[in-house]
Amino acid sequence: MAEVTNQAATSFPAPTISLPLGLDIIRTYSGALICMEIVFGGLVWILVASSNIPVPLLQGWVMFVSVTAFCCSTAYLALFLLGIASRINTDWNFMDMMYHFVALLFYFTAFVLEAATTSGVQKESVNSTACVPRPSSNIITFMDFRQYSINVVATILAFIVTVCYGCSLFMGFKRWRK
């Protein structure tokens, strides 16, 4: 008698993964970039939170993006470190590209809002006769020097994280096109 094969088990393709599983992922450029995204994204999160969020409307989005991207990047790296990605039937090259595209888009907006918050600091003018001087931009931010310094560093790190996500997107796009 001929053996009957289960059609349901043979109809799904094997997962497409170009990245190595286990600790080998950290030895690749993509793995190193994901680690940098996690570390620098966590620093952005910590720095914005430690500045006491002087402009909640703008920096609330920065906090949301940094915390969400930190958690998602950590979970994404854990999928590859633990080898779970090989058990999920999907095109991981496409998922990698799309994840980094969305993260790049969100982090770019967070970087722009953090830069706008930092650049909107109202500087004390010595010869001002008005109680509140006319601002040079539409955003007025009142921060002391400590908060300003923290937000400058957070802006720089948000830019670095944005570049890391952009490089990851580029490498993911190259893997997906192969």
Side-chain angles (χ1 to χ4, degrees):
M1 259 177 108
E3 188 174 318
V4 178
T5 59
N6 186 356
Q7 292 295 331
T10 59
S11 63
F12 293 106
T16 307
I17 303 174
S18 296
L19 292 171
L21 299 173
L23 289 175
D24 291 336
I25 183 115
I26 297 176
R27 294 186 186 118
T28 64
Y29 288 120
S30 294
L33 280 170
I34 293 171
C35 290
M36 288 173 53
E37 293 162 5
I38 292 169
V39 170
F40 292 138
L43 286 173
V44 170
W45 171 18
I46 291 167
L47 287 170
V48 172
S50 68
S51 73
N52 296 330
I53 308 176
V55 184
L57 185 62
L58 301 178
Q59 289 185 307
W61 177 254
V62 177
M63 284 295 292
F64 170 75
V65 169
S66 61
V67 171
T68 304
F70 177 83
C71 294
C72 290
S73 291
T74 303
Y76 185 72
L77 184 62
L79 282 173
F80 285 97
L81 282 174
L82 300 175
I84 299 171
S86 65
R87 293 185 227 149
I88 301 172
N89 290 329
T90 188
D91 184 2
W92 281 102
N93 296 327
F94 179 75
M95 294 294 289
D96 179 53
M97 184 190 66
M98 289 310 298
Y99 167 69
H100 284 103
F101 173 74
V102 171
L104 172 68
L105 188 69
F106 278 30
Y107 237 105
F108 180 74
T109 60
F111 159 68
V112 168
L113 290 176
E114 182 64 25
T117 301
T118 305
S119 68
V121 171
Q122 187 67 34
K123 296 183 178 53
E124 301 279 336
S125 62
V126 179
N127 296 328
S128 177
T129 58
C131 293
V132 178
R134 184 168 184 255
S136 60
S137 66
N138 291 336
I139 299 172
I140 301 174
T141 308
F142 296 102
M143 294 185 218
D144 59 4
F145 183 72
R146 178 187 157 279
Q147 288 176 324
Y148 176 73
S149 301
I150 289 171
N151 280 292
V152 167
V153 175
T155 302
I156 293 168
L157 289 177
F159 176 74
I160 291 171
V161 175
T162 303
V163 169
C164 288
Y165 277 114
C167 292
S168 292
L169 172 64
F170 177 71
M171 287 192 290
F173 181 73
K174 282 177 40 178
R175 276 192 304 275
W176 176 65
R177 293 297 292 167
K178 284 186 180 182

